[in-house]
Amino acid sequence: MADAQFKKEIENALENEVLRGALGRFGDVYGKSREQAYQGYDFPALREKVVEAKSYAAEHLDEMLDQFEKAATARGAKVFRAETGEDAKRYIVELAKAQKVKNIVKSKSMASEEIHLNDALLKEGFDVQETDLGEWIIQLAGQRPSHMVMPAIHMTKEQVADTFNANLSYTSDPVIAKLVKTARREMRKKFMDADMGISGANIAVAETGTLMMLTNEGNARLTATWPRVHVFLVGIEKFVPKFEDAAYILQTLPRNGTAQQITSYVTMITGPNPTYYPDGSIQDKEFHIILMDNGRRKMYEDEKFKQVFNCIRCAACLNVCPAFQLVGGHVYGHIYTGGIGTILTAFLNSEKDAENPQNLCLQCGKCTEVCAGNLDIPGMILEIRNRIGEKKGLPATQKFILDVVSNRRLFHSLLRVASKAQRPFSKGGPTIRHLPMFLSGLTEGRSLPTIADVPFRDVIKNMKQEVKNPKGTVAFFGGCLVDFVYPKIGEGVVKVLNEKGYKVIFPEGQSCCGAPASYMGDRQNARKSAIMNIEAMNAENVDYVVSACPTCTHALVESYKELLADDPAMLKRAEELSKKSMDFAKLLTILGGLEKGGDGVPLKVTYHDSCHLRRKMGLIAEPRNIISNIKGVEFVEMNESDRCCGFAGSYSIKFPEMSGPILQRKLKNIEATGADVVAVDCPGCLMQINGGADQAGLNIKVKHTAELLLEKHLNAK
């Protein structure tokens, strides 16, 4: 659970209109620009090559280190392997002293930020100048980078001008061209006086000892060529085996990072460059390469996190993250920001420093979709969350709630009682718009649906399933919301599957899928729910198991196998359940769909993609085809249909201040379509979007695809 200070930092960031505007504008254009940059390229194929090269290098790390050192040394470099950040700083300080260095220029290097290199050099009396424009701006402002590729993205030109005016002896106007000219003038002096240059690298080629830098300003090339002493500080995760492997990163990094086809400068350095002296003499510069571990090897040795070595530090994951776009990088607390930054912080700094930032992840999976290294960032953040939960335990209130949810009889009894106790708040209607006192936050920015008077588990007992010549049996996993809040969705699922020739059963022993426990870091209760549901669903005796909630489907298909990996007997049953489980849209598609039909009444429908359905289940076209097959329906695509609605399970309760703006963006996109109905396939998304639309007074209905089929297709017969 996030602490009070962290929540305050989030509030401050959300109240910063300048920050919100800068991040929002970039986020709005990034997606389309990136798409254009990849036109004519097969991103999945390129990504596969990146993963192949980076994975091989990581698996043969010591071989890469030896091969690189041998090649680089043969060309005149001096290579030092730094086990820790302190080792790296000590080496650079001692080198600078030995070489009688006074002035140092640095090109962009997140590795140097990671170990606070500037502080160490300044403490020893050296003049240290950042030469990347963004890095120089935040150096003058006394800030940390807010983004791994664009460190000053959070600042406006007016703020930059104010920073320059406060630190320079002349006035700068808030005009970008003039500010750049000022920076060039100031930095050129520093380059001319510099004795030492320090660089970071994007790629290290083991085969040739080559280091590559991708930049847009030319400062990195000057840093590498002008001073008489040059030092590269390189993390050991930057290796690729062969020169040709670098081509895949050269094609993906700029497109992912800044939506460019290629950066302005691609600099490749193999061995020391010559230094030209005023007297006409030429001498190879003092050239040093520091290969830094600082927790990276520990990260690779952890089976759950070794994939991080595939990261090319493009920061695309930040550019598409709904949470990052709201609050920026500084609330993440350490040097590395965003989802990948949370993971890096846990290993390169401390797990404690990652404890608060990991809460910001919505688990929407958009980052993985664009990641050039195909990293499962949400999965790794969830693993950090679970490890923290196991070590520290959950707050008492959260633990109590999850203990109740994992106790089927108690949980269901309380829900039945709540269906009666809610009446004063719902005033007899289907919606709760206000809750009192400490519960008021639950209805902040959205209404809540009432608990159904009769849960689906009771409804199905009275449903007549007229199935002639049954083809088989389907077990229906309802999940909490379908069972106790939206039984009409369940009716739609049953009637559609009856239409396809299948009898549907609803096993009484089923309960919550365990996702709330998993996503809140309570693996113990998640495991308890997994066992309970495996036993209840008895997948061995049915043809299919269907769910109308993608989060539940993911639990049945993937999570249970992981939770029960150490129990051979239960794992076997989990695998059987996984094999037969699928979401409603997928099962209906596999069974051939419904014949085109419906009431023919014109209805404009748009569609919101559930994060789990699209990115975990890979279902995109299927629900759209189902909806478009209904007579009378005019389907219209919405902008950012796959952008998270902000529900994310308990996220909307823990972070209503984050969930609210994300929901508002979704509502604006829905409203812009002019649709009468927005269809969804996730009951959680339905609750979030419907609640927000109700609070905003929007004249639009939100329906699950199964419910839409029931009303427009099956009931029309």
Side-chain angles (χ1 to χ4, degrees), residues 195-210:
D195 308 297
M196 173 185 279
I198 300 175
S199 305
N202 298 104
I203 308 168
V205 183
E207 177 185 43
T208 59
T210 302

PDB file of all heavy atoms in Angstrom, residues 195-210:
ATOM      1  N   ASP A 195      39.152  18.621 -20.191  1.00  0.00           N
ATOM      2  CA  ASP A 195      40.269  17.671 -20.189  1.00  0.00           C
ATOM      3  C   ASP A 195      39.770  16.234 -20.320  1.00  0.00           C
ATOM      4  O   ASP A 195      40.497  15.349 -20.777  1.00  0.00           O
ATOM      5  CB  ASP A 195      41.047  17.777 -18.872  1.00  0.00           C
ATOM      6  CG  ASP A 195      41.455  19.199 -18.563  1.00  0.00           C
ATOM      7  OD1 ASP A 195      42.222  19.766 -19.349  1.00  0.00           O
ATOM      8  OD2 ASP A 195      40.997  19.743 -17.539  1.00  0.00           O
ATOM      9  N   MET A 196      38.531  15.998 -19.860  1.00  0.00           N
ATOM     10  CA  MET A 196      37.994  14.633 -19.859  1.00  0.00           C
ATOM     11  C   MET A 196      36.557  14.652 -20.370  1.00  0.00           C
ATOM     12  O   MET A 196      35.778  15.552 -20.062  1.00  0.00           O
ATOM     13  CB  MET A 196      38.015  14.038 -18.438  1.00  0.00           C
ATOM     14  CG  MET A 196      37.326  12.671 -18.313  1.00  0.00           C
ATOM     15  SD  MET A 196      37.234  12.049 -16.597  1.00  0.00           S
ATOM     16  CE  MET A 196      38.878  11.367 -16.401  1.00  0.00           C
ATOM     17  N   GLY A 197      36.225  13.648 -21.175  1.00  0.00           N
ATOM     18  CA  GLY A 197      34.850  13.436 -21.618  1.00  0.00           C
ATOM     19  C   GLY A 197      34.342  12.114 -21.079  1.00  0.00           C
ATOM     20  O   GLY A 197      35.075  11.115 -21.066  1.00  0.00           O
ATOM     21  N   ILE A 198      33.106  12.086 -20.617  1.00  0.00           N
ATOM     22  CA  ILE A 198      32.496  10.855 -20.105  1.00  0.00           C
ATOM     23  C   ILE A 198      31.227  10.585 -20.906  1.00  0.00           C
ATOM     24  O   ILE A 198      30.378  11.469 -21.042  1.00  0.00           O
ATOM     25  CB  ILE A 198      32.161  10.960 -18.601  1.00  0.00           C
ATOM     26  CG1 ILE A 198      33.437  11.221 -17.789  1.00  0.00           C
ATOM     27  CG2 ILE A 198      31.466   9.696 -18.112  1.00  0.00           C
ATOM     28  CD1 ILE A 198      33.187  11.457 -16.302  1.00  0.00           C
ATOM     29  N   SER A 199      31.111   9.366 -21.416  1.00  0.00           N
ATOM     30  CA  SER A 199      29.979   9.003 -22.271  1.00  0.00           C
ATOM     31  C   SER A 199      29.282   7.750 -21.751  1.00  0.00           C
ATOM     32  O   SER A 199      29.883   6.908 -21.089  1.00  0.00           O
ATOM     33  CB  SER A 199      30.452   8.710 -23.705  1.00  0.00           C
ATOM     34  OG  SER A 199      31.183   9.782 -24.237  1.00  0.00           O
ATOM     35  N   GLY A 200      28.018   7.644 -22.112  1.00  0.00           N
ATOM     36  CA  GLY A 200      27.296   6.392 -21.959  1.00  0.00           C
ATOM     37  C   GLY A 200      27.215   5.729 -23.318  1.00  0.00           C
ATOM     38  O   GLY A 200      27.600   6.313 -24.331  1.00  0.00           O
ATOM     39  N   ALA A 201      26.734   4.495 -23.366  1.00  0.00           N
ATOM     40  CA  ALA A 201      26.611   3.795 -24.648  1.00  0.00           C
ATOM     41  C   ALA A 201      25.260   3.116 -24.742  1.00  0.00           C
ATOM     42  O   ALA A 201      24.720   2.642 -23.743  1.00  0.00           O
ATOM     43  CB  ALA A 201      27.726   2.763 -24.806  1.00  0.00           C
ATOM     44  N   ASN A 202      24.715   3.075 -25.950  1.00  0.00           N
ATOM     45  CA  ASN A 202      23.472   2.357 -26.192  1.00  0.00           C
ATOM     46  C   ASN A 202      23.715   0.889 -26.534  1.00  0.00           C
ATOM     47  O   ASN A 202      22.884   0.028 -26.241  1.00  0.00           O
ATOM     48  CB  ASN A 202      22.694   3.017 -27.335  1.00  0.00           C
ATOM     49  CG  ASN A 202      22.295   4.442 -27.032  1.00  0.00           C
ATOM     50  OD1 ASN A 202      22.893   5.377 -27.547  1.00  0.00           O
ATOM     51  ND2 ASN A 202      21.306   4.620 -26.180  1.00  0.00           N
ATOM     52  N   ILE A 203      24.853   0.629 -27.156  1.00  0.00           N
ATOM     53  CA  ILE A 203      25.163  -0.735 -27.606  1.00  0.00           C
ATOM     54  C   ILE A 203      26.652  -0.989 -27.415  1.00  0.00           C
ATOM     55  O   ILE A 203      27.481  -0.113 -27.684  1.00  0.00           O
ATOM     56  CB  ILE A 203      24.823  -0.930 -29.104  1.00  0.00           C
ATOM     57  CG1 ILE A 203      23.378  -0.490 -29.410  1.00  0.00           C
ATOM     58  CG2 ILE A 203      25.029  -2.386 -29.531  1.00  0.00           C
ATOM     59  CD1 ILE A 203      23.081  -0.373 -30.899  1.00  0.00           C
ATOM     60  N   ALA A 204      26.986  -2.199 -26.965  1.00  0.00           N
ATOM     61  CA  ALA A 204      28.384  -2.641 -26.894  1.00  0.00           C
ATOM     62  C   ALA A 204      28.497  -3.931 -27.701  1.00  0.00           C
ATOM     63  O   ALA A 204      27.799  -4.906 -27.416  1.00  0.00           O
ATOM     64  CB  ALA A 204      28.788  -2.884 -25.441  1.00  0.00           C
ATOM     65  N   VAL A 205      29.359  -3.937 -28.708  1.00  0.00           N
ATOM     66  CA  VAL A 205      29.504  -5.099 -29.593  1.00  0.00           C
ATOM     67  C   VAL A 205      30.690  -5.932 -29.124  1.00  0.00           C
ATOM     68  O   VAL A 205      31.848  -5.495 -29.197  1.00  0.00           O
ATOM     69  CB  VAL A 205      29.710  -4.666 -31.057  1.00  0.00           C
ATOM     70  CG1 VAL A 205      29.791  -5.899 -31.964  1.00  0.00           C
ATOM     71  CG2 VAL A 205      28.580  -3.744 -31.504  1.00  0.00           C
ATOM     72  N   ALA A 206      30.411  -7.134 -28.645  1.00  0.00           N
ATOM     73  CA  ALA A 206      31.465  -7.983 -28.089  1.00  0.00           C
ATOM     74  C   ALA A 206      32.496  -8.376 -29.141  1.00  0.00           C
ATOM     75  O   ALA A 206      33.695  -8.420 -28.871  1.00  0.00           O
ATOM     76  CB  ALA A 206      30.841  -9.236 -27.475  1.00  0.00           C
ATOM     77  N   GLU A 207      32.055  -8.651 -30.332  1.00  0.00           N
ATOM     78  CA  GLU A 207      32.915  -9.150 -31.401  1.00  0.00           C
ATOM     79  C   GLU A 207      34.047  -8.176 -31.733  1.00  0.00           C
ATOM     80  O   GLU A 207      35.191  -8.591 -31.954  1.00  0.00           O
ATOM     81  CB  GLU A 207      32.050  -9.379 -32.651  1.00  0.00           C
ATOM     82  CG  GLU A 207      32.799  -9.839 -33.876  1.00  0.00           C
ATOM     83  CD  GLU A 207      31.880  -9.928 -35.082  1.00  0.00           C
ATOM     84  OE1 GLU A 207      31.050  -9.011 -35.276  1.00  0.00           O
ATOM     85  OE2 GLU A 207      31.995 -10.902 -35.828  1.00  0.00           O
ATOM     86  N   THR A 208      33.745  -6.877 -31.748  1.00  0.00           N
ATOM     87  CA  THR A 208      34.714  -5.889 -32.235  1.00  0.00           C
ATOM     88  C   THR A 208      35.200  -4.921 -31.160  1.00  0.00           C
ATOM     89  O   THR A 208      36.121  -4.142 -31.415  1.00  0.00           O
ATOM     90  CB  THR A 208      34.083  -5.065 -33.371  1.00  0.00           C
ATOM     91  OG1 THR A 208      32.904  -4.415 -32.868  1.00  0.00           O
ATOM     92  CG2 THR A 208      33.717  -5.953 -34.554  1.00  0.00           C
ATOM     93  N   GLY A 209      34.560  -4.930 -29.982  1.00  0.00           N
ATOM     94  CA  GLY A 209      34.913  -3.957 -28.956  1.00  0.00           C
ATOM     95  C   GLY A 209      34.389  -2.571 -29.284  1.00  0.00           C
ATOM     96  O   GLY A 209      34.905  -1.559 -28.795  1.00  0.00           O
ATOM     97  N   THR A 210      33.343  -2.514 -30.105  1.00  0.00           N
ATOM     98  CA  THR A 210      32.763  -1.239 -30.540  1.00  0.00           C
ATOM     99  C   THR A 210      31.678  -0.772 -29.577  1.00  0.00           C
ATOM    100  O   THR A 210      30.866  -1.567 -29.101  1.00  0.00           O
ATOM    101  CB  THR A 210      32.157  -1.383 -31.948  1.00  0.00           C
ATOM    102  OG1 THR A 210      33.171  -1.816 -32.844  1.00  0.00           O
ATOM    103  CG2 THR A 210      31.565  -0.069 -32.434  1.00  0.00           C
TER     104      THR A 210
END
